[in-house]
Amino acid sequence: MNETALITIVHDPEGINIPFYKTVKDRLNHMYSELYITLSEESSPELRFELENSRFRIKTIPKKGVTHARHEVLNFGMSGNSQYYHYCDFDRLLTWAIRYPDELQNIVEDIPNYHYIVFGRTERAFYTHPLEWTETEKISNKVFSLEFGQDMDITAGSCGFSKQAGEYLIKHSRDKMTDAEWPMIIHKIGRLRVNYKAVEGLEYQEEISGHNETANEADKWFGRLNLCYIICESAIKSNREYGIINS
């Protein structure tokens, strides 16, 4: 019996994800022990309808950014009965389930072997992303890897963890972004091992993940650069501060 629950987030006012979700709806229903999603109140009513007619448990939240949504779905999912969790951004999950379903199935089945595992991208999957993503995420990943002491791609929007690890995240997560902070919490405060696996399924598909991108090229670069700065700052700060907590 599968022990792993899915927790995911979505903000989709135009319902872009609906046809892709319909393609993998049954697959996802059978893949996880439980399914939890936070849905922004601005999201498409048609998408809500599709989710309501599935095994997803839905929590509607105001649009306050990715980190707020991740905290909300973490608390929501941890209220359930599962002992292990797979977090994945919804657009990432759809791409993974459509393009690499066997890999995703194997990942879900493997999560109970870890307290915390970061899912990054293979080199091929990484370079499917827009240039402004890859150039800035190289920096975020490098700064985190230097602080953590192991090379990792932490900016792919997916991880797996045990309920024990999730309790540490609920108690201590407070940064502007969770990508660097969550593994640091588990490593520094929880004193639990953080594992890593690069996968193919976290590739970029424009038709699924590109609809939130602004048309202005300078704005795209500035936005990704700002995100890079926030994640780098989080990596450095959480490593230093959480080390003090356990000193």
Side-chain angles (χ1 to χ4, degrees), residues 117-134:
I117 181 167
V118 175
F119 297 119
R121 292 156 289 191
T122 63
E123 183 177 10
R124 184 210 63 83
F126 185 81
Y127 283 104
T128 61
H129 293 69
L131 187 61
E132 66 271 15
W133 291 41
T134 58

Side-chain angles (χ1 to χ4, degrees), residues 17-18 29 39 46 55 76 85 88 108-109 119 134 136 146 154 159 163 165 173 195 202 206 222 228-229 236:
N17 288 312
I18 293 172
N29 281 342
L39 179 74
E46 290 80 10
R55 290 183 57 232
F76 187 32
Y85 297 85
C88 192
V108 172
E109 293 174 357
F119 297 119
T134 58
T136 53
L146 289 170
I154 57 156
C159 62
K163 195 150 197 167
S173 182
N195 292 272
L202 291 172
E206 177 71 22
F222 183 75
C228 170
Y229 177 85
I236 293 170

Side-chain angles (χ1 to χ4, degrees), residues 130-132 213-224:
L131 187 61
E132 66 271 15
E213 289 292 294
T214 176
N216 185 287
E217 288 298 316
D219 286 346
K220 288 181 183 180
W221 278 89
F222 183 75
R224 300 306 299 188

Side-chain angles (χ1 to χ4, degrees), residues 34 36 57 75-83 85 163:
E34 300 172 298
Y36 297 88
R57 299 179 188 181
N75 280 276
F76 187 32
M78 288 280 288
S79 68
N81 298 316
S82 296
Q83 296 301 305
Y85 297 85
K163 195 150 197 167

Side-chain angles (χ1 to χ4, degrees), residues 34-66:
E34 300 172 298
L35 299 94
Y36 297 88
I37 190 167
T38 53
L39 179 74
S40 79
E41 58 191 8
E42 299 175 19
S43 288
S44 158
E46 290 80 10
L47 177 59
R48 169 180 285 279
F49 176 81
E50 289 297 331
L51 292 169
E52 287 175 341
N53 286 276
S54 73
R55 290 183 57 232
F56 265 109
R57 299 179 188 181
I58 305 166
K59 182 175 184 179
T60 304
I61 61 171
K63 183 179 180 295
K64 294 184 178 180
V66 171

Side-chain angles (χ1 to χ4, degrees), residues 33 87 119 133 140 148 174 189:
S33 58
Y87 173 81
F119 297 119
W133 291 41
S140 303
F148 192 82
R174 60 181 182 270
I189 300 178

Side-chain angles (χ1 to χ4, degrees), residues 184-198:
M184 283 294 189
I185 287 172
I186 301 308
H187 176 59
K188 289 286 187 175
I189 300 178
R191 300 289 186 174
L192 300 173
R193 182 176 179 182
V194 174
N195 292 272
Y196 177 75
K197 184 175 181 63

